[in-house]
Amino acid sequence: MKDANFLKEHNARNLWHPMAHPGDSIANPPDIIVEGEGVEITDVDGKRTVDAVGGLWNVNLGYSCTPVKQAIAAQLDKLPYYSIFRGTSNDAVIELSQMLKDFFEPEGLSRAFFTSGGSDSVEIALRLARQYHKIRGEAGRVKYLSLKKGYHGTHTLGASVNGNANFRTQYEPLMPGCYHIPAPYTYRNPFNETDPERLAQLCLAALEDEIAFQGAGTIAAFIMEPVLGAGGVIPPHHSFMPGVREICSKHGILLIADEVITAFGRTGDWTGSRHWGVQPDLMCTAKAITNGYFPFGAVMVSDAVAEVFEKDSTGKAAIGSGYTYSGHPVGAAAAIACLKETERLQVKDNAAVRGKQLYDGLLQLGEKYDLIGDVRGGHGLMCALELVADRETKTPIDKKTIATLHNVTYEAGAMVRISGNNVILSPPLILSETNVNTILGALDQGFAAVS
């Protein structure tokens, strides 16, 4: 390993960082993380902090999950790679598919299509939705509906259904046939409605209106996150996702649950769909499926959708999608170990308890600092603070102030994520009460420094 001086000097010289301006990365070099243990990370200067980002929503079991590391090492020795394209398979991926069928039984999801990550999972789910309708003789169902503020990765189809301009504008024109409805976002919405239940009904009415306008027979799928994540942690009213499910079923539209973030315990339930009592037709997963230790994902398919594909005799159900690393044996071995450890620890329960502690603490900070316009959370370990320069006008805070907040919070002992004018928190699900207090204390110091 090169020394600290070399790493700092070359940090942004030869690489471009995702989700960052190359010039900004040179002017403001990113923190260089070199170690991780438990729920803490250590930078190149030896600074140790609680990771309130959880890697990138994915290190649910922390950085010291020995069973997953051992499974990866053992699989590398046994079979480091083989394809599962037509004609071949491997033992690890077969075992994992059965485990996932059992895990997602309450959602009615019984088949797995393996991918390399979340954006891949979204792409596959959207493609399968169109193919499903073609197999059934409804080839005109090619459009997609989604939520404004929703995030669905960065592939072209995913970016097209994304509801945030940051991931769209510089890459347009995107795919045609993608339409968006307002998100149930009580702090900012076109209805000026602050009551969550009434807002949910207004958004559902907007969905019905858009379906009528487009024509139900032209729509393949509606894709949504059970709790909007990268858009700023926006939890809907509990009536919203069930309402979406009912509308989709009525009009023959597939419901795709994007659970790249929420699957495997983050909401305080094993899935976000289960959290709201909904069975989707397709579910996108990734991130926590291997605890972030290996790039891997899976699209879970419902019994009803699977039956259409598997009983086809025309040849239309032949799947023309897949990746070199679909069903990678090392990734599958990691996922098997991760799923076993996830269930053994019942991390969803800790996510619920520690999530309440974190949310309550953030609400207290919201009462203390006027920079905090909105506090969002209350559903496991995913929370956000939306920062404003003026509470009355809701004018977003400037970049310099939020950058200072981030730096002071980091120096005080917690790594948080800044996204626009939001502070997003998605720590590992094995977080302790003391860890939560550290995060809250560090944020308190950060806000004190900029208030």
Side-chain angles (χ1 to χ4, degrees):
M1 176 64 70
K2 298 291 187 179
D3 64 25
N5 289 333
F6 175 91
L7 295 174
K8 290 178 181 179
E9 182 182 350
H10 291 81
N11 192 356
R13 180 180 295 180
N14 303 316
L15 69 91
W16 281 3
H17 290 269
M19 303 297 184
H21 190 299
D24 182 66
S25 295
I26 294 171
N28 302 287
D31 299 308
I32 304 172
I33 308 304
V34 297
E35 292 181 17
E37 182 180 5
V39 300
E40 295 182 323
I41 51 176
T42 303
D43 69 19
V44 71
D45 293 319
K47 174 70 179 175
R48 191 178 176 108
T49 58
V50 173
D51 182 17
V53 188
L56 196 59
W57 304 90
N58 56 348
V59 189
N60 284 11
L61 306 179
Y63 295 92
S64 303
C65 190
T66 301
V68 179
K69 294 178 182 180
Q70 290 178 338
I72 290 172
Q75 186 63 45
L76 282 170
D77 283 339
K78 180 184 176 186
L79 179 68
Y81 175 75
Y82 210 81
S83 161
I84 65 164
F85 275 34
R86 181 178 54 199
T88 57
S89 189
N90 65 71
D91 52 350
V93 81
I94 295 168
E95 180 181 349
L96 175 60
S97 65
Q98 179 63 48
M99 290 176 65
L100 291 173
K101 176 182 183 292
D102 294 341
F103 185 84
F104 291 111
E105 184 177 2
E107 285 80 14
L109 303 170
S110 57
R111 309 293 197 280
F113 187 100
F114 292 107
T115 70
S116 305
S119 290
D120 289 351
S121 291
V122 168
E123 194 82 1
I124 290 295
L126 292 170
R127 288 166 66 91
L128 289 178
R130 281 181 173 171
Q131 187 173 7
Y132 165 85
H133 292 295
K134 285 179 168 60
I135 297 168
R136 296 177 65 251
E138 294 190 77
R141 287 185 178 266
V142 297
K143 297 175 184 175
Y144 302 111
L145 301 179
S146 57
L147 293 173
K148 293 178 180 178
K149 301 296 290 182
Y151 178 78
H152 303 291
T154 56
H155 291 350
T156 300
L157 261 181
S160 301
V161 296
N162 265 348
N164 191 316
N166 291 342
F167 309 112
R168 300 171 55 86
T169 307
Q170 301 293 57
Y171 309 102
E172 292 175 328
L174 296 170
M175 291 293 293
C178 299
Y179 303 93
H180 301 76
I181 67 164
Y185 176 23
T186 53
Y187 193 62
R188 301 180 193 270
N189 63 77
F191 311 107
N192 198 28
E193 179 58 72
T194 58
D195 179 81
E197 185 171 10
R198 287 200 296 267
L199 179 58
Q201 294 308 307
L202 288 168
C203 293
L204 290 172
L207 174 58
E208 282 275 25
D209 181 70
E210 190 65 27
I211 291 171
F213 179 73
Q214 298 294 336
T218 70
I219 302 168
F222 181 93
I223 183 169
M224 66 171 287
E225 302 161 275
V227 177
L228 281 71
V233 184
I234 302 171
H237 185 264
H238 63 77
S239 64
F240 182 70
M241 194 172 183
V244 171
R245 172 71 279 179
E246 183 179 351
I247 290 170
C248 287
S249 297
K250 180 172 67 174
H251 295 291
I253 298 167
L254 294 183
L255 174 57
I256 302 172
D258 183 344
E259 300 228 25
V260 171
I261 284 174
T262 51
F264 305 107
R266 183 154 294 280
T267 64
D269 283 299
W270 283 132
T271 70
S273 297
R274 204 175 305 182
H275 188 68
W276 301 126
V278 169
Q279 288 188 322
D281 298 297
L282 297 160
M283 181 186 290
C284 308
T285 73
K287 290 194 184 291
I289 197 169
T290 60
N291 201 45
Y293 292 6
F294 196 94
F296 201 79
V299 176
M300 298 304 301
V301 183
S302 70
D303 294 338
V305 172
E307 184 177 5
V308 169
F309 277 81
E310 291 169 2
K311 290 189 174 181
D312 169 68
S313 58
T314 68
K316 292 180 181 179
I319 296 173
S321 296
Y323 305 98
T324 299
Y325 301 109
S326 291
H328 195 296
V330 178
I336 290 169
C338 185
L339 188 55
K340 288 179 179 178
E341 192 70 357
T342 294
E343 292 188 295
R344 184 185 73 82
L345 295 174
Q346 290 291 299
V347 292
K348 66 179 178 61
D349 298 333
N350 192 60
V353 174
R354 296 281 75 83
K356 183 180 187 306
Q357 179 194 355
L358 180 60
Y359 182 53
D360 289 346
L362 294 175
L363 289 171
Q364 292 178 21
L365 289 178
E367 295 176 358
K368 185 175 180 180
Y369 296 107
D370 290 340
L371 288 176
I372 300 175
D374 196 28
V375 180
R376 296 189 288 273
H379 301 275
L381 277 169
M382 50 190 311
C383 299
L385 300 170
E386 184 164 345
L387 308 189
V388 294
D390 182 274
R391 282 186 171 181
E392 190 68 27
T393 63
K394 300 183 181 179
T395 304
I397 200 170
D398 63 277
K399 290 183 178 180
K400 183 178 179 181
T401 301
I402 202 167
T404 300
L405 167 69
H406 179 270
N407 292 336
V408 174
T409 301
Y410 181 72
E411 290 301 319
M415 170 69 85
V416 299
R417 184 184 179 201
I418 301 300
S419 179
N421 63 317
N422 295 304
V423 177
I424 295 180
L425 304 168
S426 53
L429 306 191
I430 60 169
L431 209 66
S432 70
E433 180 180 0
T434 300
N435 297 144
V436 174
N437 288 334
T438 297
I439 295 167
L440 293 170
L443 281 167
D444 195 3
Q445 291 187 49
F447 279 108
V450 296
S451 296

